[in-house]
Amino acid sequence: MRKLTFLLRPSWLILALVVVAFAYLCFTILAPWQLNKNSSTEHRNQLIADSVQADPVAVTDILAGDPGTHTEWRKVIATGTFLPDSTVLVRLRHLDGAPGYAVLAAFRLDDGRTLLVDRGLVAAVDGTRPPAIAEPPGGAQRIEARVRASEGVVPDKVPSTQDGFRQVYTVDTTQESTVLGIPLTPIPTGTDKGGYLQLAEGQPGAFTPVPLPQLDAGPYLSYGLQWLAFGVMAPLGLGYFVFAEMRARRRERGEVGAEVTDQPASTSEETTTEARLADRYGRTR
């Protein structure tokens, strides 16, 4: 055990603490974070793939269905009327790589409930201000759309009125209900975020539709496996350095012992001291 007493030095204790903390983070935070993102992405991709093949259903069926059922990306049919003067713009969007806005409006169903509808994207004028935006068509309408989950709100990004439009930073049913002063009905999505409708291409009142995400799992699985590998490699690396240090110390003791044996007794202490000084400061002093 005396051979391992060097591990009690502060430098080795700090190194061991860093390695243990890093391995703990890899196994409990970093790897699960990436693996969970991979699972979420695969689940989303499956929902999108299923919705592409499925026929649209009445949005009232979704509203009356099980709130725990995942409904995001489902294609639905809604009948009703767009409410006049209900336009809200979502800032910081992009269209074909240029600045743009998402255009929101309120849509009242035949049964009296009102839903939030994303009409699509429009390009910004000179990259800084919204263009003239036509009101949605009046009268009874039948629209086809996809269910989307609200994005939530950014605490320090408050709604405002600029360039004659009410503007927000995210699509969120609860926030837009407050901005419009209209009780909007959130669509159940199977999550804690109430949903809204995203118009499909060619629908009444639609602008450029928001494109579907790429059905790509992304790099999250490989990242998660890499963090697991790092969590294993870090303790192994520490063990290697401990072994290398023990081997170096053993070799050093062997060399010192050989020198002491070869030297006369009267000069052994002097030679050993000189060797240690030379090893620390060099031969030339």
Side-chain angles (χ1 to χ4, degrees):
M1 294 298 295
R2 293 183 59 186
K3 297 179 180 179
L4 299 177
T5 54
F6 69 90
L7 295 177
L8 299 178
R9 294 180 177 176
S11 57
W12 282 99
L13 291 175
I14 293 174
L15 177 61
L17 182 62
V18 170
V19 169
V20 170
F22 176 73
Y24 176 80
L25 289 175
C26 287
F27 287 116
T28 62
I29 297 179
L30 298 174
W33 168 48
Q34 293 295 331
L35 294 176
N36 288 337
K37 290 179 69 174
N38 178 73
S39 298
S40 298
T41 302
E42 288 184 342
H43 179 65
R44 182 207 66 184
N45 291 347
Q46 188 60 52
L47 290 175
I48 295 174
D50 292 343
S51 72
V52 171
Q53 303 298 327
D55 294 327
V57 299
V59 71
T60 51
D61 293 343
I62 302 293
L63 292 170
D66 182 4
T69 301
H70 288 278
T71 62
E72 188 173 18
W73 306 107
R74 289 285 301 275
K75 290 187 291 187
V76 297
I77 298 293
T79 57
T81 57
F82 285 102
L83 296 186
D85 193 30
S86 64
T87 297
V88 178
L89 301 185
V90 186
R91 300 168 59 87
L92 305 180
R93 303 290 151 142
H94 292 85
L95 177 60
D96 297 328
Y101 298 85
V103 183
L104 309 180
F107 186 83
R108 180 161 293 163
L109 300 176
D110 293 335
D111 63 9
R113 286 177 291 188
T114 305
L115 306 180
L116 181 67
V117 174
D118 182 350
R119 298 173 59 192
L121 300 168
V122 295
V125 177
D126 299 327
T128 59
R129 54 189 176 84
I133 296 176
E135 286 287 319
Q141 303 292 332
R142 179 182 183 274
I143 59 174
E144 182 175 322
R146 289 184 182 274
V147 176
R148 294 298 313 275
S150 292
E151 299 171 354
V153 297
V154 182
D156 59 343
K157 301 285 188 180
V158 298
S160 62
T161 299
Q162 301 181 40
D163 300 309
F165 293 99
R166 290 162 291 205
Q167 300 188 25
V168 294
Y169 287 87
T170 59
V171 185
D172 185 84
T173 303
T174 301
Q175 183 182 69
E176 271 67 279
S177 180
T178 301
V179 171
L180 290 171
I182 299 172
L184 298 174
T185 300
I187 302 174
T189 60
T191 67
D192 58 352
K193 297 178 179 179
Y196 61 96
L197 297 182
Q198 189 176 81
L199 283 185
E201 186 176 8
Q203 296 301 304
F207 295 105
T208 302
V210 178
L212 290 176
Q214 295 291 327
L215 299 185
D216 184 356
Y220 307 122
L221 177 60
S222 60
Y223 287 166
L225 295 177
Q226 286 177 10
W227 284 120
L228 290 175
F230 292 154
V232 172
M233 292 168 58
L236 292 178
L238 176 62
Y240 171 79
F241 286 126
V242 171
F243 174 76
E245 179 70 13
M246 292 176 61
R247 185 173 56 182
R249 288 172 176 270
R250 189 162 53 244
R251 184 170 58 248
E252 180 181 334
R253 286 195 299 269
E255 292 175 354
V256 171
E259 291 180 2
V260 171
T261 303
D262 294 340
Q263 294 293 333
S266 59
T267 62
S268 60
E269 183 178 351
E270 178 182 352
T271 302
T272 302
T273 302
E274 181 180 354
R276 290 176 177 173
L277 291 173
D279 181 64
R280 184 183 296 267
Y281 301 109
R283 295 289 178 181
T284 302
R285 291 188 296 159

